[in-house]
């Protein structure tokens, strides 16, 4: 049993973009936190709103793979935090809304906090 202040080691895996997430990296862990950043949502990467829809769909596919490989794991998806760039914040807000809707529709057991 654990004690106050005792550390339980985990694994931190970095993926520069959502498409770089490797679901096999999560095998064996009971808690999985997906914290996506802004790389995919930079203005130069988003030419049309459909690009953001595609990105949310890519995340959905990754979650399906993770749930298949780690059926007992608890998954937490963190929203992308806003930046100082108004145009990029537009992309971030849209992405967060899409992810929230996708999780509510397909993955009721995944926790997604509001920003």
């Amino acid at each position: 049993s654990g004690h106050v202040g005792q550390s339980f080691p985990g694994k931190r895996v970095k993926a520069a973009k959502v498409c770089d997430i490797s679901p096999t990296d999560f095998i064996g862990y009971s808690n999985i936190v997906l914290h996506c950043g802004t790389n995919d949502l930079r203005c130069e990467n988003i030419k049309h709103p459909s690009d953001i829809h595609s990105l949310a769909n890519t995340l959905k596919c990754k979650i399906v793979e993770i749930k298949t490989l780690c059926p007992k794991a608890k998954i937490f998806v963190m929203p992308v935090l806003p930046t100082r760039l108004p145009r990029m914040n537009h992309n971030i807000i849209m992405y967060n809304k899409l992810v929230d809707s996708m999780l509510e529709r397909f993955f009721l057991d995944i926790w997604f906090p509001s920003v």
Side-chain angles (χ1 to χ4, degrees):
S1 78
H3 298 82
V4 174
Q6 183 177 355
S7 174
F8 293 92
K11 181 178 180 182
R12 183 176 183 179
V13 178
K14 290 187 177 183
K17 295 188 173 191
V18 172
C19 65
D20 297 333
I21 295 171
S22 176
T24 58
D25 286 337
F26 305 110
I27 294 173
Y29 292 93
S30 57
N31 293 300
I32 299 167
V33 179
L34 298 176
H35 188 281
C36 300
T38 58
N39 285 348
D40 286 305
L41 298 166
R42 294 176 193 255
C43 295
E44 61 267 17
N45 294 332
I46 303 297
K47 304 299 182 206
H48 190 270
S50 64
D51 295 333
I52 300 173
H53 284 266
S54 178
L55 182 60
N57 191 56
T58 299
L59 179 64
K60 178 185 172 196
C61 292
K62 295 293 183 174
I63 291 170
V64 168
E65 289 180 61
I66 292 167
K67 286 179 79 57
T68 300
L69 292 170
C70 314
K72 294 181 181 180
K74 294 178 193 152
I75 302 174
F76 304 85
V77 177
M78 300 298 112
V80 177
L81 298 176
T83 70
R84 292 180 286 164
L85 305 172
R87 282 185 56 220
M88 196 162 153
N89 282 339
H90 175 76
N91 296 342
I92 290 169
I93 291 167
M94 183 177 178
Y95 174 79
N96 285 338
K97 286 180 179 179
L98 287 170
V99 170
D100 188 34
S101 296
M102 177 262 295
L103 293 174
E104 281 185 16
R105 183 171 180 199
F106 298 105
F107 306 105
L108 293 173
D109 60 334
I110 295 180
W111 188 70
F112 184 75
S114 61
V115 178

